[in-house]
C-alpha cells in the first residue's frame, strides 16, 4: 500500500526554487532540501531520482505558475479594466522571470518554456493595445522595457517610468 504524501511535490519545488534563488544551484542537495521541507533525503531520492531532476522539475513548476498568472490576468475583468498597466502589475508575482530565465538556460526544454511564457505575455500585451499592424512589435518592446525595469528595480536602481514608456510606444 502506497503512503500518502504529507508534503506535496509543489511544496518541495517551492523550497528548491527558494534555495536556487538565494544561494545558487550548488546549495540544492537532498540534504538541504530535506532540512527545508522536513522530508528524509531518501524520500526525496525516491520521488525525484536525482538532484538535477528535482531542480529541473522545480523550475518547470515555476514557469507553470507564471503561465497561470497570465491565464488569470487575461480572464479577470478587473485586470482587463485596468488596461496594460494593470496586466503588468498582475504579472509581477512572487517569481522573478529574469532569475527564472537564468536558471532555465541550461536545459532546452526549460528555454522553450521561457520562450512560450514570453510569447503569451507579448500576446496579452498586444491584445490591450490598439489594433494595428505594429501591435505585435510594440508588445515586444513593452515586454522588454517591463523586464528591464524589473531587473533594475531588483538591483536597487530607479529607471524610467514604465507608464511613460507605454504611452510613447502605444
Amino acid at each position: 500500500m502506497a503512503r500518502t504524501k504529507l508534503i506535496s511535490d509543489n511544496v518541495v519545488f517551492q523550497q528548491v526554487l527558494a534555495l536556487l534563488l538565494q544561494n545558487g544551484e550548488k546549495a540544492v542537495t537532498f540534504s538541504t532540501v530535506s532540512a527545508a521541507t522536513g522530508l528524509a533525503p531518501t524520500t526525496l531520492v525516491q520521488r525525484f531520482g536525482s538532484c538535477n531532476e528535482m531542480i529541473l522539475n522545480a523550475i518547470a513548476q515555476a514557469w507553470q505558475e507564471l503561465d497561470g498568472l497570465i491565464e488569470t490576468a487575461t480572464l479577470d475583468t478587473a485586470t482587463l479594466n485596468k488596461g496594460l498597466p494593470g496586466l503588468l502589475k498582475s504579472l509581477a508575482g512572487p517569481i522573478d522571470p529574469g532569475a527564472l530565465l537564468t536558471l532555465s538556460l541550461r536545459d532546452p526544454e526549460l528555454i522553450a518554456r521561457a520562450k512560450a511564457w514570453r510569447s503569451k505575455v507579448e500576446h496579452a500585451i498586444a491584445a490591450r493595445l490598439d489594433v494595428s499592424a505594429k501591435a505585435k512589435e510594440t508588445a515586444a518592446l513593452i515586454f522588454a522595457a517591463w523586464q528591464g525595469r524589473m531587473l533594475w528595480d531588483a538591483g536597487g536602481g530607479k529607471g524610467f517610468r514604465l507608464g511613460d514608456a507605454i504611452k510613447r510606444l502605444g
Side-chain angles (χ1 to χ4, degrees), residues 105-127:
L105 292 176
R106 65 188 191 91
D107 184 81
E109 289 180 29
L110 292 175
I111 292 171
R113 295 287 302 264
K115 287 179 181 179
W117 175 80
R118 177 183 176 179
S119 178
K120 289 176 187 176
V121 173
E122 287 180 1
H123 180 74
I125 291 170

Side-chain angles (χ1 to χ4, degrees), residues 50-133:
S50 70
C51 271
N52 189 51
E53 277 302 307
M54 185 171 58
I55 290 169
L56 294 176
N57 285 323
I59 296 168
Q61 175 64 31
W63 283 118
Q64 188 172 337
E65 289 177 30
L66 288 177
D67 283 344
L69 287 176
I70 294 170
E71 290 175 24
T72 300
T74 56
L75 297 174
D76 180 40
T77 54
T79 302
L80 290 171
N81 292 336
K82 294 179 183 176
L84 187 51
L87 170 73
L88 297 178
K89 284 181 183 177
S90 72
L91 297 180
I95 302 170
D96 175 14
L100 195 55
L101 176 61
T102 301
L103 294 172
S104 300
L105 292 176
R106 65 188 191 91
D107 184 81
E109 289 180 29
L110 292 175
I111 292 171
R113 295 287 302 264
K115 287 179 181 179
W117 175 80
R118 177 183 176 179
S119 178
K120 289 176 187 176
V121 173
E122 287 180 1
H123 180 74
I125 291 170
R128 282 160 179 75
L129 298 172
D130 291 333
V131 178
S132 71

Side-chain angles (χ1 to χ4, degrees), residues 17-41:
L17 192 61
L19 288 167
L20 283 169
L21 294 173
Q22 290 171 1
N23 301 311
E25 201 168 320
K26 291 182 180 184
V28 180
T29 65
F30 286 128
S31 178
T32 58
V33 175
S34 172
T37 62
L39 291 172

